[in-house]
């Protein structure tokens, strides 16, 4: 048998140098989230629409010569055309301008409520979940009490209080905002509390406690960054819910007072003249529907992008 020599063997597969070559640069978690979100065409299309909607809410009322409160009775109930792009209402006011003023009001409600939910929900649920014990029990009982009162009753009671004690006559945007702020943070607080209960026994939290970190520092520096995924997804779904709630309350006559307008008040006014002048209802209802759809589609895409199980 002849002697075996190295020249008689052939290396199969990559050699040592090829094995050390990095095929693609490493990415952080949030960079990978953005990459997967960009690959979701439906979510990105929704995000672009939301951006255009915000731009139009700012500049839309200034694109023609009419103010949201200008009344031209000679041109009342005019159909969409060159004079009035979206038509006019029963008082001769330009619906195009009023729709974009309504967009300001409705989007302001949505984003303001989302900010309040983010701050109060994280702090309340974070303290309840991190401290635990009798503090958690008391805080959860408070949430149950607030959840037991119907939302419409909150609004009616606040309107009575503000009218009688603060002399704020009629429906008020501030009243709606305050009433929604009272209870909209509750689901967020429950979500944060549940997430923290599952994370508080992790090694990095116990290590921070051992080093003497305060509960607030542990909450803000260690726990919250690790539960931002569910929080962001819930926020994107809170905005359309708040917009729809405001539109629903305004449709019932509990929203902003004239001459101000929101999509809900415009839909309420348009519904009264639906058979004769359908465009007065069509445009506000259209923007309510596609805005809520866009936020929900973007929220679904963001949820998929934040899911670590789909990371490649």
């Amino acid at each position: 048998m002849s002697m075996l020599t190295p020249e008689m063997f052939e290396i199969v597969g990559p050699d040592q140098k090829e094995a050390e070559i990095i095929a693609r640069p490493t990415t952080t978690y949030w960079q990978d989230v953005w990459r997967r979100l960009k690959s979701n065409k439906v979510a990105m299309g929704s995000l672009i629409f939301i951006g255009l909607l915000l731009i139009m809410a700012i500049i839309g009322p200034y694109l023609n010569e009419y103010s949201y409160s200008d009344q031209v009775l000679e041109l009342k109930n005019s159909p969409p055309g060159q004079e009035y792009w979206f038509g006019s209402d029963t008082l001769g006011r330009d619906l195009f301008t009023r729709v974009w003023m309504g967009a300001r009001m409705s989007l302001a409600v949505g984003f303001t409520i989302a900010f309040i939910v983010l701050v109060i929900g994280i702090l309340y649920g974070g303290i309840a979940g991190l401290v635990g014990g009798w503090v958690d029990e008391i805080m959860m009982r408070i949430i149950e009490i607030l959840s037991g009162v119907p939302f419409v009753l909150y609004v009616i009671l606040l309107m009575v209080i503000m009218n009688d004690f603060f002399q704020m006559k009629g429906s008020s945007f501030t009243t709606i905002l305050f009433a929604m702020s009272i209870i909209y943070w509750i689901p967020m607080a429950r979500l944060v509390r549940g997430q923290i209960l599952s994370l508080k026994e992790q090694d990095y939290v116990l290590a921070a406690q051992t080093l003497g970190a305060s509960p607030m520092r542990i909450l803000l520096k260690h726990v919250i960054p690790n539960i931002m995924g569910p929080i962001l997804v819930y926020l994107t779904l809170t905005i359309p819910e708040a917009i729809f709630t405001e539109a629903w309350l305004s449709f019932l006559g509990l929203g902003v007072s004239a001459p101000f307008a929101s999509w809900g008040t415009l839909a309420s006014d348009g519904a009264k003249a639906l058979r004769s002048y359908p465009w007065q209802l069509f445009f506000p209802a259209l923007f309510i529907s596609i805005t809520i759809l866009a936020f929900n589609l973007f929220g679904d895409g963001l949820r998929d992008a934040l899911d670590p199980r789909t990371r490649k």
Side-chain angles (χ1 to χ4, degrees), residues 49 53 56 86 95-96 99-100 103 243 263 281-293:
F49 172 80
L53 186 68
M56 286 301 299
F86 286 178
L95 279 179
F96 179 84
V99 163
W100 294 120
I243 292 174
W263 285 338
L281 175 62
F282 173 77
F283 289 106
L286 173 66
F287 281 102
I288 292 173
S289 301
I290 59 179
T291 300
I292 293 175
L293 178 63

Side-chain angles (χ1 to χ4, degrees), residues 16-310:
Q16 184 69 20
K17 294 182 178 179
E18 293 178 350
E20 294 177 356
I21 297 176
I22 299 176
R24 68 172 185 174
T26 58
T27 58
T28 64
Y29 172 72
W30 291 106
Q31 288 174 336
D32 195 63
V33 167
W34 174 241
R35 179 185 61 82
R36 283 181 284 139
L37 184 62
K38 288 193 297 184
S39 64
N40 190 329
K41 296 182 180 179
V42 175
M44 291 304 297
S46 301
L47 181 60
I48 293 173
F49 172 80
I50 294 170
L52 293 176
L53 186 68
L54 292 173
I55 294 173
M56 286 301 299
I58 297 173
I59 68 174
Y62 306 109
L63 293 181
N64 60 19
E65 59 186 22
Y66 297 105
S67 171
Y68 70 93
S69 59
D70 289 344
Q71 299 181 13
V72 184
L73 297 179
E74 295 80 6
L75 298 176
K76 66 179 181 180
N77 299 321
S78 298
Q82 187 175 1
E83 185 70 24
Y84 292 121
W85 298 339
F86 286 178
S88 64
D89 62 6
T90 55
L91 295 177
R93 295 174 296 193
D94 179 35
L95 279 179
F96 179 84
T97 304
R98 289 180 64 78
V99 163
W100 294 120
M101 287 298 296
R104 287 185 181 182
M105 195 72 66
S106 297
L107 292 173
V109 170
F111 285 102
T112 303
I113 292 299
F115 176 76
I116 294 172
V117 165
L118 178 66
V119 175
I120 300 180
I122 287 179
L123 291 178
Y124 194 95
I127 293 173
L130 199 61
V131 176
W134 62 270
V135 175
D136 183 29
E137 289 292 329
I138 294 176
M139 297 178 76
M140 288 299 103
R141 299 297 82 76
I142 293 175
I143 284 182
E144 291 173 1
I145 293 173
L146 292 175
S147 302
V149 181
F151 176 69
V152 177
L153 183 59
Y154 276 121
V155 178
I156 296 174
L157 289 175
L158 285 172
M159 285 185 175
V160 172
I161 293 172
M162 290 188 173
N163 290 342
D164 292 344
F165 295 96
F166 299 99
Q167 302 300 317
M168 297 177 62
K169 301 300 182 182
S171 301
S172 171
F173 172 75
T174 306
T175 305
I176 298 296
L177 201 61
F178 186 65
M180 295 173 66
S181 302
I182 291 178
I183 62 172
Y184 260 66
W185 56 270
I186 292 177
M188 173 65 81
R190 286 174 169 165
L191 171 66
V192 172
R193 174 181 176 269
Q195 292 289 325
I196 289 179
L197 289 177
S198 63
L199 292 177
K200 64 185 296 184
E201 301 300 330
Q202 296 293 324
D203 292 340
Y204 62 89
V205 177
L206 297 177
Q209 291 174 342
T210 303
L211 293 173
S214 64
M216 187 59 65
R217 179 176 178 82
I218 294 174
L219 176 65
L220 298 178
K221 296 293 185 179
H222 300 285
V223 178
I224 297 301
N226 287 282
I227 61 174
M228 281 305 296
I231 289 175
L232 290 176
V233 172
Y234 183 78
L235 279 182
T236 58
L237 300 178
T238 298
I239 295 173
E241 184 181 357
I243 292 174
F244 180 79
T245 302
E246 185 277 329
W248 167 64
L249 290 173
S250 297
F251 189 86
L252 296 178
L254 300 175
V256 297
S257 303
F260 299 102
S262 69
W263 285 338
T265 56
L266 293 176
S268 178
D269 295 339
K272 300 173 184 177
L274 176 60
R275 293 187 178 182
S276 302
Y277 314 110
W279 61 86
Q280 296 181 6
L281 175 62
F282 173 77
F283 289 106
L286 173 66
F287 281 102
I288 292 173
S289 301
I290 59 179
T291 300
I292 293 175
L293 178 63
F295 274 105
N296 281 290
L297 291 176
F298 176 69
D300 290 340
L302 184 61
R303 179 196 59 200
D304 295 338
L306 289 167
D307 190 353
R309 293 173 295 182
T310 63

